[in-house]
Every structure is written in structure tokens, then in C-alpha cells.
Amino acid sequence: TTGEPPKGNGVFSIFSCKRKKENKSNTLTSTLWTIASPTFVPAGFWQLVTVIAQVTTPLFVWRLLRILEENPAKAVFVDAIPYVFLIFIMDVLNAYGTHRQKYLALRSGVTLRVSLLSAIYERVLQLTPEGRAGLTTGSIANLFAIDVQKLFEVTAEGHLLWSAPLSMILVAIALVCVVGPSMAVGIASLILFAPV
């Protein structure tokens, strides 16, 4: 806001003007986290619910099939109906959790995008002609068109960074419990394909 020319030619150079005794906690990152966390953290909770529902549903289906195989000539309604209800509940939780997570994550992304666009506009409009000397139209357009959009996309898919490895670990544990130690080859190939 002082109108001093920005230092450097980086994309975020318009934010690098000196200010009077700025508090270290008042950084761009902490401000963006404060804005996004009320919706981004609950999105993580719903992603966890989705992961648990996706991992447990096949286990309930497997148990239901085992009951049907072990009692081919008997009525198994009493034994099987709890698993049918559990499968239904997990499917509902999976559907609701997936959509709730996407809604909250996209809401976080929209909030961050609007906040950054507003901050960039405000900063650029407050610069003096001397302060705008180092800025190009391309760098400002890059901020608007690419950088802010990428931050929006990160919020939409950000929870996959922790939920995908968690899913792999839970599936590996379930496979070892159901199939046995011979499943080590399948688990090893699952882990080896993770970087791909």
C-alpha cells in the first residue's frame, strides 16, 4: 500500500512491498488458511467417512456371501439381514460423504479464489505509477488465469494426498485378514504402482 516498486520479477512480487513492522503471523499463507479452514477441515472429515465406508462395504458383502455359501438350504434371513442393513448404511454414508466433501472442498476453493483475486486487484490498484514500473500485463494475467485457478484445484483434490495412502493401508490390512499371507504379492504390487 506504500506505492514502493516491487522487488524482483516473481509472480508474487506485487505483494513484496515493505510495510511498517508487519507481524510474522500475518502472512498470505496463514490468512488463506484462516479463510479456507472452516470448510476445508470438515471436508477432510467427510473424506475420512467416505474412505471408511468404501473399505468396509466389501467386507460386509464378503461376510454376507459367506453366510449364503455356508447355508445353501437354510433360511438365513436372521443371520444375513444385519449385513444387508450395514451394506445399505455404508452405501448411504459413501454417497453422502463423497458429495459433502466435494461441496465443502469446492466452497473452500471458491472462497480462496475470490479472496486472492480481490487482494490482487486491491494491491494493483493501490500501486503508484512508480510501483507499477516493474509489472507486466502478462504477470498479472498469469496470477488471475493460472495461479489462482491452480489454488482452487488444489482444494478440490487436496484431501486425496492423505486419503489415498490411508485407503491403500486399510485395503491391505483387510486383504491380509481375509485372504491370508499369500496376499503379500498383491499388496506389494499395489504399493509399487502408487508412484505410477
Side-chain angles (χ1 to χ4, degrees), residues 7-87:
K7 294 176 175 62
N9 293 326
V11 174
F12 289 102
S13 63
I14 62 171
F15 294 108
S16 64
C17 294
K18 291 182 181 177
R19 298 176 191 234
K20 297 178 185 176
K21 270 196 170 180
E22 195 170 351
N23 188 356
K24 285 188 178 182
S25 65
N26 192 14
T27 62
L28 180 64
T29 307
S30 64
T31 304
L32 292 178
W33 175 251
T34 303
I35 291 169
S37 62
T39 51
F40 195 69
V41 172
F45 168 75
W46 286 109
Q47 182 68 27
L48 179 63
V49 169
T50 300
V51 166
I52 291 170
Q54 289 173 346
V55 170
T56 55
T57 299
L59 294 174
F60 294 142
V61 171
W62 171 75
R63 187 64 192 131
L64 178 63
L65 291 175
R66 289 289 301 260
I67 291 171
L68 294 174
E69 284 178 355
E70 291 169 358
N71 305 300
K74 282 175 51 179
V76 292
F77 181 80
V78 174
D79 294 333
I81 199 68
Y83 293 103
V84 172
F85 280 119
L86 285 171
I87 293 167

Side-chain angles (χ1 to χ4, degrees), residues 8 11 63 68 89 92 94 110-112 145 147 155 169 171 190:
V11 174
R63 187 64 192 131
L68 294 174
I89 290 168
V92 169
N94 183 22
V110 168
T111 303
L112 288 179
D147 295 340
T155 59
I169 291 168
V171 166
L190 181 71

Side-chain angles (χ1 to χ4, degrees), residues 138-158:
S139 65
I140 301 299
N142 188 37
L143 276 172
F144 287 149
I146 297 172
D147 295 340
V148 174
Q149 179 63 27
K150 291 299 177 191
L151 191 61
F152 170 78
E153 291 171 6
V154 163
T155 59
E157 304 295 333

Side-chain angles (χ1 to χ4, degrees), residues 91-175:
D91 283 344
V92 169
L93 281 176
N94 183 22
Y96 184 77
T98 300
H99 292 288
R100 189 72 183 156
Q101 185 273 334
K102 287 226 179 273
Y103 167 74
L104 291 171
L106 290 177
R107 192 169 161 193
S108 300
V110 168
T111 303
L112 288 179
R113 185 176 181 181
V114 169
S115 300
L116 273 175
L117 288 175
S118 175
I120 295 168
Y121 268 123
E122 181 181 359
R123 182 72 183 115
V124 169
L125 290 174
Q126 290 177 352
L127 287 174
T128 62
E130 294 83 20
R132 285 190 298 249
L135 293 176
T136 63
T137 306
S139 65
I140 301 299
N142 188 37
L143 276 172
F144 287 149
I146 297 172
D147 295 340
V148 174
Q149 179 63 27
K150 291 299 177 191
L151 191 61
F152 170 78
E153 291 171 6
V154 163
T155 59
E157 304 295 333
H159 287 296
L160 292 178
L161 289 173
W162 62 266
S163 67
L166 177 65
S167 295
M168 289 174 60
I169 291 168
L170 292 176
V171 166
I173 292 169
L175 285 174

